[in-house]
Each structure stands twice: as C-alpha cells, then as structure tokens.
Amino acid sequence: MKHSLIALISLLVLPLFSCQLTLSPSDAVDAGKKQSTQTVKKESSIAFTAWGYQDNKVKANIFTVKRDGSDRRELTSTLNIIAAESSITEPIWSPNGQRLAFVQLSANGAYIVYAVNADGSKLTKLFSDDKCSPSSTRFNGVWSSNSQNLVFERTCPSYDPKTEYRSPTELYVSNTIHSGQTRLIRRWSQSGVDIIEKNRQTGLIQRQIQSGIKSNIAISPDGKQIVFLEDQIAYRMNTDGTKLTQLPALPDSNVTRSTFAWSPDSTHIARIDQYLEKPDEQQVYLLDADGRLLNQAKNRGSSGNPWVLWSPDSTRLAYYQQESPNAPFTEGNIYLLHIKGGKSKNLTQQQDIYSGFSWSPDSQQIALVKTKQGVKLDLINVDGSGLSNLTPRFSAIFNPMWSADSQQIAFTGSEQSPSPKKNGPAFNLYVMNRDGSGLKQLSDDRDLSVTNFVWQP
C-alpha cells in the first residue's frame, strides 16, 4: 500500500511542471480593479487538491485556504473520491472568483465535470460519461468572462479496428447556471477516418466524417474562441461552433504536431511546431488573432510538450530551449520572444535544468525552478538582472505561481528535512513573500500530498 500510494501521488504531481507551462494562460492583472495589498492579502484564497486519510482510506478532496493559512474549507467531501478508484483534476476559478470547476476521473472510465461555489455550496454535476479514460489528469477548461459558461475539451484514447477510429477529441460548452445544459460543439479524431454507424432509433446507416486533428484544442482565456490544426491547416472557431476560419499558412506547414497557446488578453496566439524528420527542432511563431505572423524563432526541443508561457501583459512569450535534443530534462535556457519583432533573448544566460517558471502579474519578473545543483526557486528580472535565490532548503519544488497583487509566490514542494509521515514523502503547499521571506506551509498533517493549486482571482 505504501509504495502504490507514493507511485499514485507521483503520477499526479509530475504533470504540474510538464503541462502547466504548455497550455495554461497566465492571469492578467486589471489595474483599474486592483485592490490594495492589505485588502487582497486578507481576502485572497488558494484552492488546492490533496490526498489524505479519511475513514481509514486515502481520499482526494478540493480545499480552499486563506493565504495566511486560516479558514480552510473542504469542498468535495460528499463525492467520496477514493485513491484506488478515482482521481481529481486541478480546480479552475471562475473570473469573478466565486466558483470552481474540476473533473473527477474514475478507474472504471467515468469522466464527470463539476462546478462548486467557493464556500462549498451548490456542488453541481455538469457533464458525465462512463466510457472515457483520458491519458492526462489535466483539465483543459476555461470559464467565460461572465463566469456563467464553462468551455472544456477532453480526449479519450480508444481504438476501433473496424474504423481505425483513434483518440476522439471533443469540445463542450456548459451553461453552469442551468444544470444539465451541456452541449457537444465538435468532435475530432486523430486518424481522420470516416465513421459508419447505425442509428439506434431509425435503423438507418449513418456516415459521420471525423476530422483528423494534429494539435491541442487551445481555448482563448475569455472562453470565446479556439484554435487547432486539422490536416496541416490551422483554424480558428468560436466556441459555439460558428465562424470556422482558416488561418494563413506558415512557411513550413508539414508538421507532426503543433501546440497553440493564447495570450492572456485573447488577442495573440503562440504556435509551436514539431517535426517527425527533425525531432530536435521546434519552430516558435507569434501570431495575431487572425493568424498573421508577427515574430518567429527556431529552437531545440524534445519530442515532449514544449514549455511556453505568455507574459501577463500579452507582449512576450517565454520558452525553454534545450541544448541537448531528445532528452526531457537536459540543460538549457529560458528565452523571451516579443510580438513587436526582433530576435529572441536569452534571459537566463546560464545553462541549467529548468523544470518550471512563472511570470509576475506585472510582467517584470520571472520565478524559475532549477534542479542542476540542488533544487532552487530563483527570481530574475525580465532584462536578465537581479537573479536571486528564494528557497534554500527544498528537495523538490513544482508549479510556482504568483498572487494577483504580485506580493507572494505559492508552490508545491518537499522540504529536505520534513516532519516524518507514515506513508513516505509528501508534497505540501507553501506561500512566501516575493523576496523569499515569510515562508509558510498552508497544507497540514491531514494532507498526504498536495497535487494541484490555483490562486483565487
């Protein structure tokens, strides 16, 4: 039980630094609505998922806690998510900070989308399917700007030898105010093969043309649009399925796979192309919303997901360039690419094994996780100056994330000399001031491990 539990926790924690940098948009700061630092510090909460013992079983739950460690609330106890049977994705805050969305994944294939109020009330099932076992525990969902609709994508690996139908990817929109109003907008398949099936009600043979997709489904932060690559052609579409638009072709369009990421203000798109014949090379493009090329850079990469992250002011893209090809954790540097043109800038100027980075909301600093010579969380100005270390005593650090007021940084990690626990190493939730002072552990002995977290807007 001990070893199986540790293995399960590791599988849930590792995607924090392999996925968060790829697809998640940063939260932009609205200066006109910015509260004072004292008010934000008092009110701002963090939502997190954690495994812990309850009734002699290891269960997962979503909690909220104030940044000072007070007012801890359990939001999902009624779901009874047992480790051996289910898991739970990271929660996603609505823009108004009043609701959270997440997915419960079950070992038997159940995929259930929920929304819940920040105080734990009105836990509502938005969508359920008992025949999906996604390969990733990441929830690719975005709230609409009015905090009413939830747009989400899911991919369910599968294979039908008769039709060669593989890995269907689907886009849904759910009206979270009116329970049960979740609509399928579009379905793609990785193979692009036609599907022939029999209508159960009429008995007639129906032919469905499935689209072959070669990218992620990138949902704009305002929840209004998506971009994707289908049969070597890039498209933009409204999330209600209307206004499907073909984007301009780029110089080298014969790609194996593309990854798209919207800027926080939903006006620009980053596209990272990977090639089967050139696995150690990636092409980074910065585009406007109409697909017009603004800037580009070629960099080394691996066959895994590219690590990219937009600045909160939507002017620059940070990406990790490896110096050795085809190895997921080799030494490299972090570069910046500006939408106004010019060559990419080497920000770090020191090869290391970077496993995570995060922009400050004012777009002036970046927090970096380095692991070459011990695990460190560093801070650097975007002009390359002011490099400083913030955490001296950790054996693991994942997913650094800034508070909306830029005053604090939260992360999950494991201290070098943690208090002994019955079931091996634990990953706790921490918060500290931006200068490294005031380090505080927000999770406690009730938590075996924290797997995901997100600041309240």
Side-chain angles (χ1 to χ4, degrees):
M1 173 65 182
K2 173 179 177 181
H3 295 294
S4 61
L5 175 60
I6 295 174
L8 174 61
I9 291 173
S10 300
L11 286 174
L12 291 170
V13 171
L14 284 176
L16 288 173
F17 59 92
S18 65
C19 295
Q20 178 261 341
L21 297 174
T22 303
L23 302 176
S24 300
S26 301
D27 292 328
V29 176
D30 184 351
K33 299 180 180 179
K34 213 172 181 182
Q35 299 178 359
S36 68
T37 299
Q38 289 184 345
T39 302
V40 174
K41 278 192 175 184
K42 180 180 179 181
E43 298 299 331
S44 184
S45 295
I46 298 177
F48 66 95
T49 59
W51 296 90
Y53 274 110
Q54 294 180 16
D55 303 323
N56 295 320
K57 295 182 179 180
V58 178
K59 299 181 180 180
N61 273 300
I62 294 178
F63 302 87
T64 57
V65 64
K66 299 293 185 185
R67 68 168 82 193
D68 63 2
S70 65
D71 196 23
R72 173 177 165 133
R73 298 189 180 192
E74 184 176 351
L75 308 186
T76 55
S77 60
T78 58
L79 296 183
N80 195 33
I81 301 173
I82 301 173
E85 302 172 358
S86 299
S87 62
I88 191 168
T89 68
E90 77 277 19
I92 301 172
W93 283 103
S94 61
N96 61 14
Q98 296 179 5
R99 309 182 76 196
L100 290 155
F102 63 94
V103 178
Q104 178 184 352
L105 305 170
S106 298
N108 63 5
Y111 183 100
I112 310 172
V113 182
Y114 290 95
V116 63
N117 289 344
D119 62 1
S121 64
K122 295 185 178 180
L123 179 65
T124 305
K125 182 186 295 185
L126 303 176
F127 175 84
S128 179
D129 183 3
D130 61 359
K131 297 180 180 179
C132 179
S133 299
S135 56
S136 172
T137 58
R138 177 170 177 76
F139 179 34
N140 182 23
V142 173
W143 287 88
S144 60
S145 55
N146 64 1
S147 299
Q148 177 171 324
N149 295 322
L150 180 70
V151 183
F152 63 93
E153 167 269 326
R154 64 165 192 160
T155 299
C156 305
S158 64
Y159 177 68
D160 185 338
K162 294 181 180 180
T163 62
E164 298 185 8
Y165 181 53
R166 294 182 177 90
S167 299
T169 295
E170 298 170 331
L171 179 73
Y172 292 88
V173 175
S174 178
N175 186 321
T176 66
I177 304 301
H178 300 91
S179 178
Q181 293 190 7
T182 299
R183 295 186 298 123
L184 172 65
I185 303 301
R186 182 161 176 159
R187 179 183 290 115
W188 300 264
S189 74
Q190 298 290 349
S191 62
V193 176
D194 293 354
I195 304 300
I196 299 176
E197 61 180 18
K198 192 173 185 179
N199 188 299
R200 295 180 181 178
Q201 295 180 346
T202 66
L204 299 176
I205 300 297
Q206 294 180 324
R207 185 171 182 263
Q208 296 180 343
I209 299 177
Q210 304 295 323
S211 305
I213 188 168
K214 294 186 177 181
S215 73
N216 62 310
I217 303 298
I219 309 170
S220 61
D222 60 10
K224 295 181 179 180
Q225 300 179 93
I226 65 168
V227 289
F228 58 91
L229 186 72
E230 181 181 9
D231 299 327
Q232 303 294 339
I233 301 174
Y235 293 93
R236 187 186 69 233
M237 184 181 75
N238 291 343
T239 50
D240 62 2
T242 63
K243 295 186 178 180
L244 179 66
T245 303
Q246 181 175 332
L247 300 182
L250 295 173
D252 188 355
S253 60
N254 188 25
V255 301
T256 302
R257 181 171 176 81
S258 293
T259 299
F260 295 99
W262 285 89
S263 62
D265 63 3
S266 301
T267 62
H268 295 88
I269 302 167
R271 172 175 170 174
I272 301 87
D273 286 349
Q274 297 169 296
Y275 310 89
L276 181 62
E277 69 274 13
K278 296 177 286 187
D280 62 337
E281 181 180 303
Q282 294 176 348
Q283 189 74 38
V284 181
Y285 299 101
L286 296 187
L287 316 170
D288 65 14
D290 292 323
R292 289 187 291 263
L293 181 62
L294 302 175
N295 203 355
Q296 62 181 309
K298 183 181 293 185
N299 73 301
R300 289 182 179 272
S302 71
S303 57
N305 288 327
W307 298 357
V308 300
L309 194 65
W310 278 97
S311 62
D313 64 6
S314 300
T315 64
R316 287 158 292 186
L317 186 78
Y319 64 90
Y320 181 51
Q321 177 170 312
Q322 297 175 202
E323 302 302 335
S324 299
N326 301 320
F329 298 107
T330 53
E331 296 180 26
N333 277 293
I334 293 175
Y335 287 76
L336 302 181
L337 190 63
H338 205 288
I339 61 173
K340 292 184 178 180
K343 294 183 178 181
S344 58
K345 173 187 175 182
N346 185 338
L347 174 68
T348 49
Q349 298 289 328
Q350 182 180 2
Q351 292 186 26
D352 209 307
I353 302 175
Y354 295 95
S355 61
F357 57 90
S358 176
W359 287 88
S360 62
D362 58 15
S363 300
Q364 297 304 306
Q365 293 181 302
I366 294 181
L368 313 164
V369 178
K370 303 192 301 186
T371 61
K372 181 180 178 180
Q373 296 179 336
V375 178
K376 298 177 182 178
L377 178 57
D378 286 355
L379 196 63
I380 189 171
N381 297 328
V382 292
D383 62 3
S385 66
L387 181 65
S388 60
N389 176 249
L390 303 179
T391 52
R393 64 173 194 269
F394 281 79
S395 59
I397 295 175
F398 304 112
N399 200 26
M401 191 180 301
W402 294 75
S403 59
D405 60 2
S406 299
Q407 297 305 306
Q408 291 184 297
I409 301 173
F411 60 92
T412 53
S414 180
E415 296 188 57
Q416 291 177 350
S417 300
S419 57
K421 295 212 172 185
K422 295 180 180 180
N423 288 277
F427 298 99
N428 286 299
L429 175 62
Y430 298 87
V431 67
M432 65 181 175
N433 298 326
R434 66 184 300 165
D435 62 0
S437 65
L439 180 67
K440 184 177 182 61
Q441 180 179 315
L442 300 183
S443 52
D444 56 35
D445 289 341
R446 289 170 289 185
D447 306 313
L448 288 174
S449 189
V450 174
T451 56
N452 297 284
F453 74 93
V454 61
W455 283 94
Q456 188 177 25

